[in-house]
Amino acid sequence: MIALVAGATRGTGRGIAVELGAVGATVYCTGRSTREGRSELNRSETIEETAELVTRAGGTGIAVRVDHLDPAQVKALAERIDREQGRLDVLVNDVWGGEPLYEWDTPVWKHDLDNGLRLLRLAIDTHLITSHHLLPLLIRNPGGLVVEVTDGTTDYNDTHYRVSPYYDLAKVSVNRLAFSQAHDLEPHGGTAVALTPGFLRSEAMLELFGVTEETWREAKPDPAWAVSETPAYAGRAVAALATDPDKRRWSGKSVSSGELAQVYGFTDVDGSRPDVWRFITEVREAGKEADPEDYR
């Protein structure tokens, strides 16, 4: 299996890359943060670290610095994968990097315009540019898989205001992009799926709450945190999709890691099956009381 995880530096992207490695894939891990220089997020995680974790998991990790807003760099990436592998089986569009750019509950006329437009470029343009250059390689053989990583399923986002107009538009658009690409891939035997993780215990979130993966339960930011998940959980969802001979049943759909866990039977690293989206809708928004552990 030859895979590209665009946006593999940290968080969900890293989790997906590593779990694809665990099923033996060769994974191209792209992003802008390397040991030689960081992106404007100025975090310590690098694509080289991710590639090493992929190899350690049983696959082959290949780190490539790419700015996915630059069509020339993405075109060169596609040419390199074609030259080295001759095919692409899995494309994961996980580029984001918008955390510092959105303002919570801020109307469009008050939100910083430059930051909002930059957020949309990072969230949407990067995915379109990457698909434009990589899908010709993916459709060379039937059975290719595209995974668009977002926040919130289509059903949830359609009826909920998400943070700000810019953030809202970004996450809705990525879900719709998977739907659209499913249409384009159908004649070629390909599959496109939108995937949302739940409340993610990413590197940044753990730091924000002052805990580690070993002590995460000590943080009490929100009852939903008790139903949080590691990046590996979404990674196992993608690995399950990628190795499913009947993956086309999911094409065009918007699903969560928790939903796929119930179907495929995988668990998070601690053996649980968290489903925070179900907890949010059935408990928190319904005004009910329930033990969050019942949703793990």
Side-chain angles (χ1 to χ4, degrees):
M1 184 189 301
I2 309 300
L4 163 61
V5 180
T9 314
R10 62 186 67 85
T12 306
R14 174 174 284 189
I16 292 171
V18 172
E19 293 302 323
L20 286 171
V23 295
T26 293
V27 186
Y28 287 80
C29 308
T30 66
R32 294 174 297 152
S33 292
T34 71
R35 288 180 175 141
E36 296 178 350
R38 299 181 180 186
S39 74
E40 71 271 17
L41 293 180
N42 196 30
R43 291 191 55 85
S44 63
E45 301 87 11
T46 69
I47 54 173
E48 291 93 344
E49 290 172 352
T50 301
E52 290 164 0
L53 290 169
V54 169
T55 301
R56 198 178 306 161
T60 301
I62 302 171
V64 187
R65 189 193 185 283
V66 178
D67 182 345
H68 285 264
L69 275 176
D70 184 343
Q73 291 187 38
V74 180
K75 182 174 184 289
L77 171 66
E79 291 170 347
R80 174 176 173 176
I81 296 174
D82 190 11
R83 183 173 63 252
E84 294 178 354
Q85 310 295 340
R87 72 180 204 272
L88 181 66
D89 304 307
V90 179
L91 168 61
V92 179
N93 275 324
D94 183 55
V95 179
W96 169 228
E99 287 88 350
L101 300 173
Y102 59 81
E103 302 168 32
W104 280 84
D105 297 323
T106 302
V108 68
W109 62 90
K110 291 185 178 180
H111 196 290
D112 184 278
L113 180 60
D114 289 339
N115 284 349
L117 295 177
R118 170 73 174 171
L119 182 153
L120 290 174
R121 289 211 69 209
L122 287 169
I124 302 172
D125 290 14
T126 55
H127 291 219
L128 289 167
I129 292 167
T130 303
S131 288
H132 174 82
H133 288 290
L134 273 301
L135 288 188
L137 185 55
L138 185 132
I139 64 172
R140 188 171 292 173
N141 301 302
L145 171 67
V146 177
V147 178
E148 292 287 341
V149 181
T150 186
D151 175 22
T153 63
T154 295
D155 286 346
Y156 186 85
N157 290 347
D158 277 353
T159 57
H160 292 77
Y161 175 71
R162 303 304 313 280
V163 180
S164 76
Y166 296 101
Y167 188 97
D168 192 282
L169 180 58
K171 300 310 178 181
V172 168
S173 296
V174 174
N175 275 326
R176 187 66 186 186
L177 181 56
F179 177 84
S180 301
Q181 289 181 122
H183 175 84
D184 293 343
L185 291 172
E186 200 280 331
H188 305 279
T191 298
V193 180
L195 174 69
T196 178
F199 204 152
L200 191 70
R201 297 201 300 275
S202 65
E203 301 90 344
M205 291 301 292
L206 291 171
E207 286 182 15
L208 177 65
F209 298 141
V211 292
T212 66
E213 181 53 36
E214 290 69 35
T215 64
W216 70 271
R217 288 183 179 274
E218 295 177 8
K220 307 292 183 184
D222 181 295
W225 179 248
V227 198
S228 60
E229 63 194 60
T230 73
Y233 198 46
R236 292 174 180 181
V238 173
L241 286 169
T243 55
D244 182 0
D246 190 29
K247 67 176 69 69
R248 291 183 68 186
R249 60 184 158 145
W250 299 104
S251 199
K253 297 185 182 300
S254 169
V255 295
S256 69
S257 47
E259 178 183 352
L260 291 181
Q262 298 301 321
V263 175
Y264 287 108
F266 62 84
T267 67
D268 206 345
V269 294
D270 63 358
S272 67
R273 291 196 180 98
D275 192 347
V276 76
W277 296 106
R278 192 163 64 89
F279 174 81
I280 289 171
T281 55
E282 292 183 4
V283 179
R284 191 171 70 183
E285 294 182 351
K288 297 180 180 178
E289 292 188 7
D291 186 348
E293 291 298 322
D294 292 339
Y295 290 81
R296 290 190 64 80

